Amino acid sequence: MTQKNIIDLLSRYERMIQNGKSVYFDSDEFEEIADFYDMREDSNAVKTVIDEGLKQHPGHHGLLLKKVKTLIFDRSYDEALSLANHLTVNPTDSDTLLLKAEIFLNTNNPQSALSIFDVILEQSEDEYDFLDISDILKSVEMFREAVLYLEKGIEKFPNSIDLYREIGDNNRLLEEYDKAIVAYNKVLDIDPYSAEDWTDLGELYSLNGNYEKAIEAFDFSLIIDEDDDRTLYMKGNNLILNGNYEKAVETFLEYTQINNDDETPYILISECYTEMQDFEKAKYYALKALDVNKESILSLKKIIYLLLDREAFLESLPYLERAIELLPTDSNLLFLKADVLMSLDKLKEAEENYIQALTLSENEDEQIDIIYSLALLKQKQEKDEEAVFYYEKVELFKPAYPDLALKMAVAYANTGQYDKCVQYLQKAAEESTLNLTMQEIRERSAIIREIEELLNGKSG
């Protein structure tokens, strides 16, 4: 049916529904209208069309078949099976038999379903019967069984690209990527000029961790269709995974020539320059990503982390504030902002943001980190009793928190609790330094010296 005819048909049908007056449509027209709404995934409209169609054409096989499908969609399996049993006229009615098999699979009766499949295939001369069986088995995640039936199909139709693709897809879902790769290579033996299949093969190599082979497959795809942005994007990602950052940058820049309203490639280019330790270019492309989409949280976060890595705290603050405007309940962003404010000695504002982050956080590890930061802030404010309160909260939830014992020893010394200070100093000394970096050892040594000075001062 032409586009004009389907529009006219739909207009007539929708006027009938709006006016509430019955207008005659033949059964094929009702099926075409139902198919249209099915393509638009409007299940309620599909049901209405079928019900209206059956009023005018009671007992029509095609409409009743669609009725069974809607009942399966609604999980009304008993009613669906009853209607399907009524519909089954002969053993060659594969459409009805396939629906019955789908009902059996969804009602924990796989053996009956598999028996139906065997009946269908005994007399099948159509490769699409094998594909239909695969679709039904995939819908209930019986991927291995689907492969077995598809392999039977290959015995009958050894040059079927569709069957090999389905074998590949089911093996991908089983995460058996080697087998999926074999199937897609068979597809490409039959049709070596299919850009989409080269791309799918590249994706399988990538999932299997073979990034070199993935890039090679994407290159073949791009020879056939050089402007395919999906393939360029996947190639760029695999170049990153393979550590080829300069080539990845080139590829993502090619992608932006085709698709210039997507900020993601610029973020990935920024990531490449971060890996190449070129801060200025990393920052330039992160800002370019933000120009493309001024409300991109990913772009904002990339800029923020770049600046924080350079300890550019003041410069990072407006980007943090913009990100929080977009995600006001994001505890991690509030936590980051609080850390930045503390680094800038804006302690009152920092405390407000820590408290807000703690209130919103639903992650226990993050909550502990925030409480620990509050303790550090209180020590910076020389409010050691409050610092002790927060440190003890951290200890309650995570006794082995890094450097907690040393920090607690300082706080106890500052509050005159010398017995506890010595106890936690001894506890800190027992912690192994074997796995620490020299910087961590120096930091701990500085804390120990601070404690010793405090104790010597009190004893003197």
Side-chain angles (χ1 to χ4, degrees):
M1 181 174 282
T2 65
Q3 182 73 12
K4 181 178 183 301
N5 287 343
I6 189 67
I7 290 169
D8 290 344
L9 182 61
L10 287 165
S11 298
R12 284 173 49 219
Y13 170 76
E14 287 174 359
R15 280 199 303 274
M16 178 188 81
I17 297 298
Q18 287 167 4
N19 296 332
K21 295 180 180 178
S22 181
V23 176
Y24 181 80
F25 293 86
D26 67 38
S27 57
D28 288 343
E29 288 175 324
F30 275 117
E31 289 194 75
E32 285 171 14
I33 296 166
D35 288 340
F36 172 82
Y37 287 120
D38 190 38
M39 285 175 62
R40 295 182 63 178
E41 298 183 357
D42 188 342
S43 58
N44 289 328
V46 172
K47 290 175 198 174
T48 302
V49 173
I50 293 166
D51 289 341
E52 290 295 328
L54 287 170
K55 286 177 189 175
Q56 294 188 22
H57 307 280
H60 183 269
H61 186 84
L63 290 169
L64 287 170
L65 206 61
K66 290 184 182 297
K67 178 78 171 177
V68 174
K69 290 179 183 178
T70 64
L71 291 168
I72 292 171
F73 181 80
D74 289 340
R75 300 186 180 183
S76 302
Y77 298 121
D78 289 341
E79 191 178 349
L81 183 58
S82 174
L83 184 53
N85 284 332
H86 173 71
L87 281 172
T88 304
V89 178
N90 59 67
T92 61
D93 182 7
S94 62
D95 288 338
T96 308
L97 289 171
L98 285 168
L99 287 174
K100 286 181 70 174
E102 188 172 354
I103 295 164
F104 286 134
L105 288 172
N106 281 286
T107 53
N108 298 316
N109 190 357
Q111 201 53 52
S112 294
L114 298 180
S115 297
I116 288 174
F117 294 151
D118 291 339
V119 168
I120 293 170
L121 296 180
E122 277 174 15
Q123 57 210 4
S124 175
E125 293 301 326
D126 189 341
E127 67 183 277
Y128 288 100
D129 285 331
F130 293 92
L131 295 168
D132 288 338
I133 289 169
S134 174
D135 284 342
I136 292 168
L137 288 166
K138 278 167 70 177
S139 73
V140 291
E141 299 185 3
M142 292 177 69
F143 310 122
R144 205 169 299 282
E145 290 78 2
V147 170
L148 292 174
Y149 279 103
L150 290 163
E151 286 173 345
K152 289 180 182 178
I154 290 294
E155 291 172 12
K156 279 192 172 185
F157 307 99
N159 293 314
S160 170
I161 285 177
D162 289 329
L163 289 174
Y164 278 120
R165 279 199 194 107
E166 274 296 296
I167 290 170
D169 193 42
N170 278 282
N171 279 311
R172 179 182 62 80
L173 293 166
L174 287 165
E175 298 184 6
E176 294 185 359
Y177 302 124
D178 287 335
K179 292 179 181 178
I181 286 166
V182 169
Y184 267 90
N185 274 314
K186 290 283 189 183
V187 170
L188 290 161
D189 285 342
I190 299 165
D191 181 7
Y193 299 103
S194 171
E196 187 175 350
D197 289 315
W198 278 113
T199 298
D200 290 341
L201 178 62
E203 185 176 8
L204 288 167
Y205 276 124
S206 179
L207 289 167
N208 211 26
N210 192 336
Y211 307 123
E212 290 280 359
K213 280 283 190 183
I215 294 161
E216 185 181 302
F218 295 137
D219 280 337
F220 277 116
S221 179
L222 291 165
I223 289 168
I224 300 162
D225 183 0
E226 63 182 0
D227 293 330
D228 184 67
D229 57 352
R230 171 178 170 248
T231 305
L232 277 167
Y233 187 87
M234 292 175 76
K235 179 186 173 183
N237 270 323
N238 277 267
L239 286 163
I240 290 176
L241 291 168
N242 207 38
N244 300 344
Y245 301 116
E246 290 182 5
K247 286 280 187 185
V249 168
E250 290 174 18
T251 303
F252 284 123
L253 286 173
E254 280 184 62
Y255 175 93
T256 62
Q257 298 303 307
I258 301 164
N259 189 343
N260 61 8
D261 60 353
D262 181 1
E263 76 273 18
T264 314
Y266 293 114
I267 296 170
L268 291 168
I269 292 170
S270 175
E271 192 61 39
C272 289
Y273 281 117
T274 303
E275 292 293 332
M276 291 188 281
Q277 299 185 339
D278 188 334
F279 169 76
E280 291 303 326
K281 284 185 177 176
K283 182 182 172 185
Y284 171 81
Y285 281 103
L287 288 168
K288 196 166 181 63
L290 194 61
D291 284 341
V292 173
N293 180 0
K294 298 193 184 303
E295 296 190 350
S296 168
I297 287 293
L298 284 176
S299 303
L300 284 165
K301 284 186 174 180
K302 181 60 188 171
I303 297 165
I304 290 162
Y305 288 122
L306 278 169
L307 293 170
L308 292 182
D309 192 52
R310 306 278 288 192
E311 296 188 0
F313 301 119
L314 189 60
E315 192 180 350
S316 73
L317 201 52
Y319 297 105
L320 270 164
E321 287 169 349
R322 199 189 310 180
I324 290 166
E325 282 176 20
L326 295 170
L327 290 177
T329 60
D330 188 311
S331 59
N332 183 253
L333 287 171
L334 288 160
F335 187 11
L336 275 176
K337 183 184 175 186
D339 281 344
V340 167
L341 290 165
M342 186 155 76
S343 298
L344 295 169
D345 284 329
K346 297 183 177 183
L347 302 185
K348 185 179 177 183
E349 291 177 62
E351 184 175 0
E352 289 170 359
N353 279 272
Y354 281 133
I355 296 297
Q356 194 177 353
L358 186 60
T359 304
L360 291 168
S361 178
E362 296 178 353
N363 180 285
E364 186 175 302
D365 287 337
E366 184 182 60
Q367 290 166 1
I368 294 166
D369 289 339
I370 296 169
I371 294 167
Y372 183 78
S373 296
L374 278 165
L376 295 176
L377 181 142
K378 290 300 173 184
Q379 279 193 297
K380 205 167 184 179
Q381 291 175 322
E382 298 183 355
K383 296 179 179 179
D384 290 285
E385 287 184 1
E386 291 180 52
V388 166
F389 169 80
Y390 286 120
Y391 282 135
E392 287 176 346
K393 287 281 187 189
V394 173
E395 185 182 35
L396 183 65
F397 292 104
K398 196 171 181 179
Y401 196 96
D403 281 341
L404 179 63
L406 283 170
K407 294 289 187 184
M408 290 183 79
V410 173
Y412 282 131
N414 284 332
T415 54
Q417 300 179 67
Y418 304 121
D419 290 345
K420 284 191 173 182
C421 173
V422 171
Q423 175 191 336
Y424 278 88
L425 190 57
Q426 288 172 342
K427 184 179 177 183
E430 290 167 5
E431 293 177 359
S432 170
T433 60
L434 293 176
N435 294 322
L436 298 180
T437 64
M438 286 306 297
Q439 179 63 27
E440 288 170 326
I441 291 168
R442 281 195 291 272
E443 286 172 0
R444 290 185 178 211
S445 300
I447 297 170
I448 290 168
R449 282 196 300 275
E450 185 180 345
I451 296 168
E452 286 171 344
E453 287 169 9
L454 280 166
L455 290 175
N456 290 334
K458 298 298 180 184
S459 61

